[in-house]
């Protein structure tokens, strides 16, 4: 059963370089775990965007839920312009927080979900971030003051390759090509790796089959199986059959 | 205040709001309050579906190219049906196929299960090149398919039709002659989306099916005409998004309605519509949705049909 949809007030909206931070006042409602996601829609519903947007929180607690957005279309523009937002979630499976050292890898707007992990992971955290341009990298300050930040044409897999092998768990979120490269590196060094993936979603609760991703060698619904998956389940070419 | 309880093709329903096939997975999300659960279309063989991207948002709706992803008849009957039987609402199973024989095999097997109240024959999926959609564009094929399946089960057969044909009422009439007990109108409208940056087709399947409020006028038109031509009971689907839409669909000729795309943005919508309906009916001076069914036909209906014929 999907949770009830609730309407939350917008507490504040801030520009963070090229991205926008949207902070909702939580009413004490459930927030789930880092990596789970919410379906968000401006209230009243915007004319130009019919479907809600699937977003994972940057951080969340009983008092507020924050999202870092790349405002690109009518739906996201309506969200950052709204006084209140209808919220369905938390949905899907989030990160399992392993004890011991963690390496966080974020690419582009995928870095949006890392602040919560930095806050909640119990062990020491090393953060590696890759962005297209400096204006996208401004958000690194929200994530981890000590983060290693690279800009294109350097890819975030370069600093990662230098850290591996390591006695750590890798948590990654970013574009598909980056996730595949991170997964391949981790597989090579037998380092456990969790990926937060993205797919176009219409519903977020298993109804539309729109979010299919190749998981365990079959098209499966990312909103049900993920969005956080063990890297071996999605590695192109298969991992352990 | 009147009752929302109704009867559709012999199936007792607590209220007139169902889900559209392929727009709710009750095993993942529960029934969300629908009075009968309609399954995603099941085909003889399992189908992985189309490659991503499978959905794209469009003005007041979306296009999808899911491609009839389903576990296939065998696994559906062994693993899904027993669990669906426990949902506590009547079950309507949607079947599709690539030949009359494939449909017949599915109808025989599914119709034999005691939990199945009715079957819906999908002859209208836009996301496969051959098979169901080509049957549903041809009245003679549609009649033959219904006749063939009629022989396989005692359960009511509903024909789900596509509006993307020359004359949907001709297909509806053929379905009626072949033994359909009711119609489900409409499936998605053929459509397409182009990526605004790459200017390439956005959907993995190339084209897809348009749904949501954008298709509501198309649905009303199909329902109005098919009702006039066949008199069959109709499940109205296509852009229904509120209680007011239910009344409009009923007036065009739908006996019950189904919510599809609107559920994606609000899974609580069935309960909201069911809660709102009695008050809305009362404001229209009636006590049940049945009192509204076909109202658009009563006064000007015949004249409208003639005007419409002149335009097409
Ligand atoms: C994602 C999606 C999947 C669908 N899958 C099926 C299907 O398997 N079988 C079918 O008969 N109709 C299918 N439909 C069509 C719907 O049941 C419905 O007829 C159509 O979407 C119009 O209603 P709506 O505008 O309320 O969504 C699907 C629609 C959508 C949006
Ligand atoms: S987003 Fe609809 S099934 Fe996953």
């Amino acid at each position: 059963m999907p949770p009830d949809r609730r309407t939350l007030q917008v507490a504040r909206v801030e520009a963070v370089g090229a991205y926008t931070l949207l902070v909702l006042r939580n009413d004490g409602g459930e927030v789930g775990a880092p990596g789970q996601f919410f379906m968000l829609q401006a209230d009243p519903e915007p004319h130009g965007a019919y479907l809600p947007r699937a977003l994972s929180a940057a951080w969340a607690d009983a008092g507020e839920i924050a999202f870092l957005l790349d405002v690109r279309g009518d739906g996201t523009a309506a969200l950052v312009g709204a006084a209140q937002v209808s919220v369905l979630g938390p949905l899907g499976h989030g990160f399992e927080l392993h004890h011991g050292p963690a390496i966080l890898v974020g690419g582009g707007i995928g870095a949006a979900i890392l602040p919560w992990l930095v806050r909640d992971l119990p062990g020491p955290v090393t953060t590696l971030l890759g962005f297209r341009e400096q204006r996208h990298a401004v958000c690194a300050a929200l994530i981890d003051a000590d983060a290693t930040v690279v800009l294109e044409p350097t890819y975030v897999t370069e600093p990662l390759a230098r850290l591996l092998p390591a006695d750590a768990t890798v948590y990654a979120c970013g574009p598909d090509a980056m996730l595949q490269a991170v997964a391949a590196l981790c597989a090579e060094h037998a380092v456990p790796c969790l990926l937060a993936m993205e797919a176009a979603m219409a519903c977020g609760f298993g109804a539309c089959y729109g979010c299919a991703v190749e998981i365990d060698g079959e098209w499966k619904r990312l909103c049900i199986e993920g969005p956080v998956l063990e890297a071996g389940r999605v590695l192109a070419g298969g991992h352990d059959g | 205040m009147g009752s929302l309880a109704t009867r559709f093709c012999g199936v007792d329903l607590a209220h007139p709001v169902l889900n559209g096939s392929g727009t709710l997975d009750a095993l993942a999300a529960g029934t969300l309050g629908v009075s009968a659960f309609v399954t995603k279309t099941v085909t003889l063989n399992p189908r992985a579906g189309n490659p991503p991207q499978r959905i794209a948002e469009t003005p007041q709706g979306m296009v999808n190219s899911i491609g009839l992803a389903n576990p296939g008849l065998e696994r559906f009957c062994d693993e899904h049906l027993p669990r669906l039987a426990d949902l506590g609402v009547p079950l309507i199973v949607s079947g599709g196929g690539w030949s009359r024989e494939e449909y017949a095999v599915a109808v025989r097997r599914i119709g034999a299960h005691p939990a199945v109240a009715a079957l819906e024959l999908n002859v209208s999926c836009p996301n496969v090149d051959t098979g169901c959609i080509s049957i549903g564009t041809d009245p003679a094929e549609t009649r033959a398919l219904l006749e063939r399946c009629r022989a396989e089960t005692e359960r009511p057969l509903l024909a789900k039709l596509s509006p993307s044909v020359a004359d949907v009422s001709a297909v509806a009439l053929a379905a009626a002659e072949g033994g359909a007990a009711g119609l489900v109108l409409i499936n998605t409208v053929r459509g397409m989306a182009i990526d605004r940056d790459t200017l390439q087709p956005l959907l993995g399947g190339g084209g897809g099916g348009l749904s949501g409020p954008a298709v509501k006028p198309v649905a009303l038109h199909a329902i109005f005409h098919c009702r006039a031509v066949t008199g069959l009971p109709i499940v109205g689907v296509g852009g229904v998004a509120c209680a007011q839409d239910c009344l409009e669909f009923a007036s065009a000729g739908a006996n019950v309605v189904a919510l599809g795309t609107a559920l994606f943005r609000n899974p609580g919508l069935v309960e909201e519509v069911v809660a709102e309906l009695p008050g809305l009916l009362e404001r229209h001076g009636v006590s049940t949705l049945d009192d509204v069914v076909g109202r658009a036909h009563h006064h000007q209906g015949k004249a409208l049909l003639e005007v419409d014929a002149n335009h097409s």
Side-chain angles (χ1 to χ4, degrees):
Chain A
M1 275 294 244
D4 284 340
R5 241 174 32 140
R6 17 189 200 128
T7 303
L8 301 183
Q9 303 301 311
V10 175
R12 59 182 199 277
V13 176
E14 285 168 26
V16 182
Y19 301 137
T20 308
L21 184 71
L22 169 70
V23 182
L24 306 180
R25 196 167 302 131
N26 192 9
D27 52 9
E30 219 202 306
V31 295
Q36 283 189 283
F37 67 101
F38 298 82
M39 298 301 286
L40 263 61
Q41 189 161 46
D43 179 13
E45 286 150 355
H47 217 70
Y50 187 72
L51 297 171
R53 295 293 180 269
L55 292 164
S56 290
W59 64 82
D61 53 39
E64 64 180 33
I65 310 181
F67 300 89
L68 191 64
L69 283 81
D70 186 6
V71 176
R72 267 182 307 192
D74 292 341
T76 41
L79 281 175
V80 300
Q84 52 182 27
V85 170
S86 101
V87 174
L88 180 74
L91 299 164
H93 296 281
F95 287 104
E96 209 177 290
L97 304 187
H98 293 196
H99 287 278
I103 300 173
L104 309 192
V105 185
I109 190 62
I113 72 168
L114 299 181
W116 195 356
L117 274 179
V118 173
R119 190 187 79 187
D120 280 13
L121 277 167
V125 170
T126 306
T127 308
L128 312 175
L129 303 173
F131 296 100
R132 221 161 39 222
E133 296 169 24
Q134 181 53 39
R135 62 196 181 97
H136 301 104
V138 175
C139 67
L142 281 181
I143 299 165
D144 181 349
D146 299 325
T148 299
V149 178
V150 299
L151 298 181
E152 280 183 20
T154 306
Y155 286 124
V156 72
T157 39
E158 288 187 23
L160 178 63
R162 286 197 295 275
L163 287 181
L164 300 182
D167 176 23
T169 302
V170 171
Y171 303 79
C173 184
D176 263 352
M178 180 203 108
L179 293 183
Q180 287 293 341
V182 169
L185 267 176
C186 291
E188 192 183 310
H189 295 288
V191 170
C193 175
L194 298 170
L195 307 177
M197 304 197 59
E198 267 202 299
M201 291 188 180
C203 71
F205 54 91
C208 73
Y209 280 79
C211 60
V213 164
E214 196 167 347
I215 301 173
D216 310 325
E218 297 174 46
W219 298 118
K220 290 188 184 175
R221 290 169 291 184
L222 188 67
C223 68
I224 297 284
E225 303 285 327
V228 176
L229 295 162
E230 274 176 44
R233 299 184 66 191
V234 289
L235 200 53
H239 183 50
D240 48 19
Chain B
M1 210 173 266
S3 157
L4 291 183
T6 185
R7 206 172 153 80
F8 184 82
C9 292
V11 183
D12 286 316
L13 302 173
H15 60 73
V17 186
L18 287 58
N19 65 288
S21 169
T23 63
L24 174 61
D25 176 358
L27 297 181
T31 63
L32 303 184
V34 293
S35 61
F37 175 67
V38 183
T39 70
K40 180 154 184 72
T41 299
V42 182
T43 55
L44 182 58
N45 295 311
R47 287 179 56 84
N50 288 335
Q53 182 165 335
R54 289 180 171 185
I55 53 173
E57 188 178 54
T58 56
Q60 285 299 298
M62 59 182 277
V63 281
N64 85 79
S65 75
I66 308 299
L68 292 184
N70 81 89
L73 184 64
E74 194 71 34
R75 247 182 80 197
F76 173 80
C77 289
D78 291 347
E79 295 172 27
H80 294 212
L81 253 185
R83 293 167 62 203
L84 292 170
D86 291 336
L87 286 175
V89 293
L91 264 189
I92 300 176
V93 177
S94 168
W98 272 256
S99 68
R100 236 173 273 164
E101 271 328 291
E102 277 192 29
Y103 278 91
V105 170
V107 166
R108 186 183 322 134
R109 177 97 191 261
I110 293 165
H113 196 285
V116 175
L119 289 96
E120 188 173 299
L121 301 182
N122 177 358
V123 291
S124 45
C125 179
N127 287 320
V128 290
D129 293 332
T130 56
C132 40
I133 185 79
S134 40
I135 294 173
T137 53
D138 182 338
E141 281 290 333
T142 302
R143 182 186 303 107
L145 176 72
L146 264 298
E147 280 167 356
R148 180 71 187 80
C149 293
R150 191 61 284 162
E152 298 293 346
T153 183
E154 297 289 303
R155 306 251 186 268
L157 293 177
L158 314 178
K160 179 152 184 190
L161 305 183
S162 170
S164 298
V165 296
D167 179 5
V168 64
S169 61
V171 184
L173 186 61
E177 289 166 358
L183 302 171
V184 185
L185 294 163
I186 56 173
N187 207 318
T188 53
V189 179
R190 272 186 191 271
M192 185 172 186
I194 299 282
D195 186 294
R196 67 157 84 176
D197 297 320
T198 66
L199 302 183
Q200 293 301 306
L202 214 155
L203 297 176
L210 177 66
S211 63
V215 307
K216 178 181 154 186
V218 182
L220 287 171
H221 185 261
I223 291 164
F224 186 81
H225 282 263
C226 292
R227 179 81 185 198
V229 170
T230 69
L232 284 180
I234 293 173
V235 180
V237 52
V240 180
C242 59
Q244 174 65 28
D245 288 340
C246 300
L247 267 66
E248 293 177 20
F249 274 62
S251 175
N255 302 72
V256 296
V257 299
L259 302 183
T261 304
L263 289 177
F264 299 162
R265 67 195 323 229
N266 179 9
L269 189 63
V270 177
E271 285 170 359
E272 288 174 25
V273 167
V274 169
E276 208 186 312
L277 262 179
L280 193 59
L281 289 167
E282 200 174 72
R283 282 211 289 290
H284 281 269
V286 294
S287 56
T288 73
L289 195 62
D290 293 335
D291 297 329
V292 182
V293 175
R295 196 178 265 199
H297 297 253
H298 294 167
H299 303 296
Q300 305 173 355
K302 192 154 176 297
L304 281 179
L305 282 169
E306 280 161 11
V307 170
D308 223 54
N310 292 338
H311 281 214
S312 51

